Amino acid sequence: MNLTIQDVADMAGVSRATVSKIKNNYSGVNEKTKKRVMEIINEPGYQPTFSAKSLATKKSNLIGVIYAGKINVDFTHLFFNKVITSFKKAIGLSGYDILLFSNEQFKQDDGSYLARCKHFGVDGCLIISSDDIEAIIEELIKSEIPCIGIDIKISGPNTSYVTTDNKMLSVYVVQYLYNNSIKDIAYIGGEQESYVAKNRKKRFINIMECLSLPIVNDWIETGDFFAESGYLAMKRILIKKSYPKAVYAISDLMALGAIEAIQEHGLRVPEDIGVIGCDDIEACQFSKPKLTTIKQDKETIGKLSAQMLQYLIQHKQDIEPKLVERQLVICDS
């Protein structure tokens, strides 16, 4: 016989609200009532439904996945798509299912992610973002629910994050160009509030100054990490009086857009202007010319996120953030 929460409530002579409070470990329910409810759940011969089983074990084996931030990062983003695939495989091997929060009109508590997590009883959350997160995410991070961020620095009582070593990416690119006698370098970054964009631009400026390379404001542009914005940013650079010898775009998609703009302008890549991207997405292999890029280990980022989230769920204690190493993939651009 399958038991629902309503069945449990009826058999215990309490309300659904009382059962829900016990499920979420809220205060205000006496121990005698708790004991009676748990005895019903654990009675031999009954097959509990998912909700009743999670009530008994205090675990749902559900992981909430949240795409957050002001920039629209979702399934279409090739970098995060690979990361979440790796995460799904790793967390699934440990018996967890993924719950993707997609209801934009969740009414309870004004759309609060914390309320959603409590409503579904998730054991932990993965937060994916490329920029600053909303206040309703901050509420979740400050709660007791374990959370891991990907490419976003989060801080709370039971949180950590995984990201590529963004501070060194720009240093690596500029040093490589400098070692190949390329000094006139343009930069296509992301939105200024983005954690990733802030770090990469700051280090780009720092290493350019350290190597006494010219920082040309006309060659510094921003986009939204997608191809069209890279194309438009490169167009703005090309209408200036002089051209750079190389362009560093902080996403492969923006770099591919920049290549299209350069070629459309009648210039050659890399003979006239070289281009370096970042992410090493699959599309780089099929661009003409093939894009030189900084490889971010998407599989490792996904696996580490799963391992760290499980640790937080099991141990309820702090864990240091993880920085994943990068690698320059030299191709034709």
Side-chain angles (χ1 to χ4, degrees), residues 89-239:
K89 289 179 179 177
I91 207 75
L93 289 173
S94 297
Y96 289 92
D97 284 311
I98 288 177
L99 176 64
L100 178 66
F101 289 121
S102 59
N103 184 355
E104 299 294 338
Q105 297 181 355
F106 191 87
K107 299 301 183 185
Q108 186 175 347
D109 293 346
D110 298 322
S112 162
Y113 281 112
L114 178 57
R116 297 190 212 192
C117 288
K118 288 184 175 180
H119 176 79
F120 292 106
V122 300
D123 295 332
C125 273
L126 184 74
I127 301 171
I128 303 168
S129 180
S130 67
D131 67 346
D132 282 357
I133 49 182
E134 307 95 321
I136 54 174
I137 298 291
E138 289 285 356
E139 177 192 36
L140 170 62
I141 292 168
K142 301 302 181 185
S143 76
E144 74 285 355
I145 295 174
C147 294
I148 290 291
I150 291 181
D151 253 11
I152 187 76
K153 186 177 181 179
I154 61 175
S155 178
N158 203 13
T159 66
S160 193
Y161 61 91
V162 183
T163 184
T164 301
D165 190 354
N166 287 292
K167 291 183 179 180
M168 290 305 298
L169 282 179
S170 295
V171 173
Y172 201 45
V173 169
V174 174
Q175 285 182 332
Y176 169 76
L177 293 171
Y178 178 80
N179 291 339
N180 284 274
S181 302
I182 298 174
K183 300 180 180 181
D184 298 327
I185 306 169
Y187 177 86
I188 301 178
E191 297 291 341
Q192 295 306 305
E193 63 266 24
S194 164
Y195 167 73
V196 169
K198 282 179 182 177
N199 276 291
R200 293 181 187 176
K201 183 176 181 180
K202 180 180 179 180
R203 288 295 178 168
F204 172 79
I205 298 296
N206 286 347
I207 188 62
M208 292 285 284
E209 290 175 342
C210 287
L211 295 174
S212 299
L213 299 179
I215 300 172
V216 181
N217 289 331
D218 285 347
W219 295 347
I220 297 179
E221 286 287 348
T222 61
D224 62 6
F225 295 91
F226 290 92
E228 184 179 4
S229 70
Y231 171 84
L232 294 174
M234 194 68 228
K235 283 284 192 182
R236 292 191 292 270
I237 292 172
L238 291 171
I239 63 173

Side-chain angles (χ1 to χ4, degrees), residues 40 88 102 279:
I40 292 170
K88 177 183 71 69
S102 59
D279 289 339

